[in-house]
Amino acid sequence: LASAFEVEKRNGLTLYTGHYPKKPAPGVYLRPFVVSDGVSYALKFDVYYYYNIDDPQQTAWVHGDALAASVDGRSYHLAFNTKERRDKMSPDAENLAENYVHDATKEETALLRAISNAQNVSITYYQQATGDARSQTLSREDIKKIHDMMAFYDAVAQEN
């Protein structure tokens, strides 16, 4: 399974990611990945929102603090600590990104497991106070990447 992922060494750690583009189409994405120090493995949860000025939805900054997901009709809701959100704007203000990356919680792991076996998934990244939001339907490719990452994580976690 590891050969299906992009492998990057960083500060003594090995990151296994799903070949995620630096500048995807505007939208919100779930991009889980696995990190290893050579002994143990950790599942990371990554919500990534990307916007550029050519985006017809014109959502711009969401400053999200929550994620809602519909997975084959079942609802999931996650809330995030806004101090963990990373906001980034390009120097020319052509695009911006927001994301949360941290060790996956039990709830986030359960959501990823549900998605990995689903047929229909839609997610909404939003700010609870204002209602600003961006929604996305996950493609079959997005779901497969999550499925493969969860299978890889389960395999390496079981070995350790």
Side-chain angles (χ1 to χ4, degrees):
L1 277 170
S3 64
F5 305 117
E6 185 174 315
V7 180
E8 179 184 339
K9 303 277 186 179
R10 189 185 305 165
N11 301 325
L13 299 174
T14 303
L15 285 71
Y16 300 89
T17 65
H19 299 285
Y20 303 122
K22 294 200 185 297
K23 293 183 177 183
V28 60
Y29 301 91
L30 291 179
R31 307 182 316 173
F33 61 99
V34 172
V35 175
S36 175
D37 61 5
V39 177
S40 62
Y41 292 81
L43 178 65
K44 297 290 188 172
F45 187 80
D46 182 5
V47 175
Y48 186 76
Y49 164 66
Y50 182 78
Y51 168 84
N52 68 36
I53 62 170
D54 297 325
D55 181 5
Q57 289 193 31
Q58 295 295 303
T59 48
W61 290 111
V62 172
H63 295 298
D65 59 6
L67 183 81
S70 174
V71 181
D72 287 340
R74 184 169 179 205
S75 296
Y76 294 80
H77 297 277
L78 304 171
F80 307 115
N81 178 347
T82 56
K83 292 178 182 172
E84 294 178 2
R85 188 184 65 234
R86 299 177 192 164
D87 294 341
K88 183 179 178 185
M89 181 183 286
S90 65
D92 61 5
E94 290 280 325
N95 57 67
L96 57 87
E98 301 176 25
N99 81 312
Y100 287 92
V101 178
H102 52 256
D103 288 342
T105 66
K106 287 181 184 180
E107 294 81 11
E108 293 162 346
T109 301
L111 171 60
L112 293 171
R113 285 193 195 291
I115 290 170
S116 74
N117 296 307
Q119 295 297 313
N120 299 297
V121 179
S122 61
I123 57 175
T124 301
Y125 171 70
Y126 65 100
Q127 185 184 116
Q128 296 175 80
T130 65
D132 291 343
R134 181 63 182 246
S135 296
Q136 185 100 358
T137 298
L138 299 189
S139 69
R140 293 300 314 149
E141 181 182 341
D142 294 331
I143 293 169
K144 181 168 178 13
K145 282 183 179 183
I146 292 170
H147 176 272
D148 291 350
M149 189 60 66
M150 295 306 293
F152 174 68
Y153 175 68
D154 289 342
V156 296
Q158 201 170 51
E159 290 176 10
N160 293 296

